[in-house]
Amino acid sequence: MSDEQQITVIEGGPYMVTGSVPVTVKTPVVSEHGEPLTWKTSPPQEAKARVALCRCGASSKKPYCDGTHGKIEWDGTESAPDGTYAERSKQYGDGVMEVIDDRGICMHAGFCGNEVTNVWKMADKTDDTQIRAQAMAMIERCPSGALTYRIDGETIEPDLPVSVAVVPDGPLWVNGGVPVQSADGSSIETRNRVTLCRCGQSSQKPLCDGSHSDAGFSG
């Protein structure tokens, strides 16, 4: 196996992260109303050439694999959506800014709305600079990249460092375009940000689909 920066799905097992990719924790900072506002990032742990991260959701050493996947019944079958993000996503708004959305890979982090509005309601109002700025900020905090935006036809992505971030009680948030390889050797579309299931329950494995919440996953 190459030691280039990569995440490889091990059949029936964990994610093997190679190439000394930093592992950190990103925790939502919420308002008094429970609305996610931004992310708090912990200092990264010492980067290792290779590290195995739990994919079944049952390790006692989360986020690291402790071999539990070989002792329990769980379905690690991969079923990531077909096609590319561009092919699956829908476009909203036709002003200065366009909101692009792929619901199938949403992890339901909640940064896309608040008590007053959400990015879909704002999509047709982005000629207003304040509304556009708010929508941009919300979308840039979307960990899965289910939401992106275009300005004058150009996709603009936040500048994210290469890392794998553990979201408490949620998925692995992969930043900076780290390639993800399926167990069969094929590649998941490489993107600036993507979230990988670590509860073992997603119907879009290895991608997160928000199932951790319904499953009551903790860790």
Side-chain angles (χ1 to χ4, degrees):
M1 182 183 295
S2 170
D3 283 335
E4 293 180 358
Q5 289 185 324
Q6 179 172 286
I7 298 173
T8 302
V9 178
I10 305 301
E11 185 172 3
Y15 299 106
M16 185 61 68
V17 184
T18 58
S20 299
V21 177
V23 177
T24 186
V25 177
K26 285 182 177 283
T27 306
V29 176
V30 301
S31 72
E32 65 273 22
H33 305 296
E35 304 161 335
L37 300 174
T38 190
W39 292 97
K40 175 184 176 182
T41 305
S42 71
Q45 301 178 22
E46 182 179 356
K48 298 181 180 180
R50 298 189 182 195
V51 63
L53 300 180
C54 177
R55 189 165 72 95
C56 71
S59 171
S60 63
K61 297 182 179 179
K62 300 183 192 73
Y64 301 102
C65 172
D66 67 356
T68 298
H69 58 270
K71 305 172 185 177
I72 62 172
E73 291 187 8
W74 78 289
D75 186 2
T77 304
E78 295 180 70
S79 51
D82 294 330
T84 65
Y85 175 80
E87 293 168 342
R88 296 189 307 267
S89 57
K90 294 183 179 180
Q91 173 185 320
Y92 298 87
D94 57 2
V96 175
M97 173 178 164
E98 299 164 336
V99 175
I100 314 299
D101 181 24
D102 179 3
R103 287 292 80 203
I105 60 172
C106 173
M107 67 153 279
H108 307 298
F111 285 87
C112 50
N114 54 38
E115 289 190 330
V116 178
T117 189
N118 60 54
V119 295
W120 298 275
K121 291 179 180 178
M122 291 188 280
D124 289 325
K125 305 174 183 178
T126 57
D127 287 345
D128 182 302
T129 302
Q130 291 184 333
I131 293 176
R132 184 164 69 253
Q134 183 180 15
M136 290 166 65
M138 287 178 165
I139 291 171
E140 288 181 356
R141 294 185 179 111
C142 170
S144 66
L147 285 166
T148 60
Y149 65 87
R150 291 196 294 251
I151 300 291
D152 295 329
E154 180 182 1
T155 299
I156 300 176
E157 276 284 310
D159 185 13
L160 298 174
V162 170
S163 67
V164 175
V166 177
V167 177
D169 303 333
L172 296 173
W173 178 5
V174 182
N175 290 320
V178 179
V180 179
Q181 185 179 81
S182 296
D184 65 4
S186 61
S187 295
I188 302 296
E189 181 183 16
T190 299
R191 303 184 63 218
N192 184 41
R193 45 191 164 137
V194 65
T195 48
L196 301 179
C197 173
R198 68 183 185 99
C199 71
Q201 303 297 315
S202 174
S203 62
Q204 304 273 26
K205 295 185 191 77
L207 302 180
C208 171
D209 67 356
S211 291
H212 53 272
S213 180
D214 291 338
F217 174 72
S218 64

